[in-house]
Amino acid sequence: MNMGFIADLRYRYLSHTATVETLLKEFFRKSIHLCSAFVPLLAVFDVDAVCVGLMAAMALYVVCELLRLRGISVPLVSKITEYAARSRDEGRFVLGPVTLAAGILLALLLFPLPYASVGIFALAFGDGTASLAGKLFGKRRIPGTQGKTFEGSFACLVTVFLSSLAVTKNPLHALFLGITAAVFEALPLKDYDNLLIPLLLAFLAAVLDSFARF
């Protein structure tokens, strides 16, 4: 199996809006997003240790990225950053990993773990699948969203609904959270959706749970 097979598959069945190289980069980038789903699972054992680990990872990444911009390549880290970076990030500090870690960290610090988990899972699964589904199958663009697609937003809604349902056990709450995540993921926030989505979804999960207790 080679790039020719992937290209043929895309041109026969999938969206024509992205090159094979773009798709491969997006798969790689969003696999990092998906890995963040392990954070709530680890936090069950020691949330403080997880928070310290996230802060250390952020600090290390910032140092490596500043060195990369000065022409000093840090083994592995700089190569991963260069490969995963979008075209808009060329020659600039790649902010995505910082906002990703910061969004997860703030959710853990500001909310009890069940609510933080809702937000982190929304970021891991919703944002990741929205981007991949949009690149692969997206044909109908949403006006005013800088290229976001209805297909991507629907994928976000479904995955956030399922991940939220797994935590809340409440289908109505999960549906509301899925719709909210899809709406805000579609906004042209660039890397700052990594901050907004986990915090907003964690907050809404807490509010919904509070109302349900009355």
Side-chain angles (χ1 to χ4, degrees):
M1 184 159 60
N2 53 33
M3 291 295 182
F5 172 81
I6 297 174
D8 181 66
L9 176 67
R10 183 175 71 86
Y11 282 110
R12 285 177 180 271
Y13 304 109
L14 306 177
S15 170
H16 293 193
T17 59
T19 65
V20 171
E21 179 65 18
T22 300
L23 289 172
L24 291 174
K25 278 194 171 188
E26 199 64 22
F27 272 111
F28 180 76
R29 186 161 41 242
K30 294 309 176 182
S31 68
I32 299 173
H33 267 69
L34 292 171
C35 287
S36 63
F38 289 104
V39 172
L41 306 180
L42 295 173
V44 170
F45 300 101
D46 194 334
V47 67
D48 292 334
V50 170
C51 289
V52 170
L54 286 168
M55 288 187 282
M58 272 196 295
L60 176 62
Y61 173 80
V62 169
V63 171
C64 293
E65 186 64 353
L66 291 174
L67 289 173
R68 185 183 70 85
L69 292 176
R70 290 177 176 269
I72 304 172
S73 180
V74 178
L76 188 63
V77 177
S78 295
K79 291 296 183 184
I80 290 174
T81 302
E82 289 172 1
Y83 182 75
R86 294 183 172 94
S87 57
R88 69 173 186 240
D89 293 321
E90 289 182 8
R92 301 171 56 187
F93 187 100
V94 180
L95 191 61
V98 175
T99 57
L100 177 69
I104 295 169
L105 176 63
L106 289 172
L108 289 173
L109 292 174
L110 296 175
F111 300 97
L113 186 56
Y115 307 138
S117 297
V118 169
I120 295 168
F121 287 150
L123 177 63
F125 300 119
D127 185 61
T129 55
S131 181
L132 292 174
K135 289 285 192 301
L136 286 169
F137 308 108
K139 300 181 185 300
R140 294 169 291 181
R141 297 188 182 279
I142 303 172
T145 62
Q146 298 181 3
K148 301 293 181 73
T149 65
F150 285 102
E151 291 83 359
S153 293
F154 180 72
C156 178
L157 190 160
V158 171
T159 52
V160 174
F161 167 76
L162 293 174
S163 64
S164 298
L165 182 61
V167 179
T168 66
K169 313 301 182 186
N170 187 312
L172 290 178
H173 289 185
L175 180 61
F176 178 78
L177 292 166
I179 293 171
T180 303
V183 169
F184 279 88
E185 192 282 330
L187 297 177
L189 299 172
K190 297 184 179 179
D191 292 319
Y192 293 100
D193 60 353
N194 293 338
L195 281 171
L196 176 65
I197 289 175
L199 294 177
L200 176 64
L201 270 290
F203 172 75
L204 290 177
V207 171
L208 290 170
D209 190 45
S210 296
F211 277 116
R213 292 174 185 274
F214 282 115

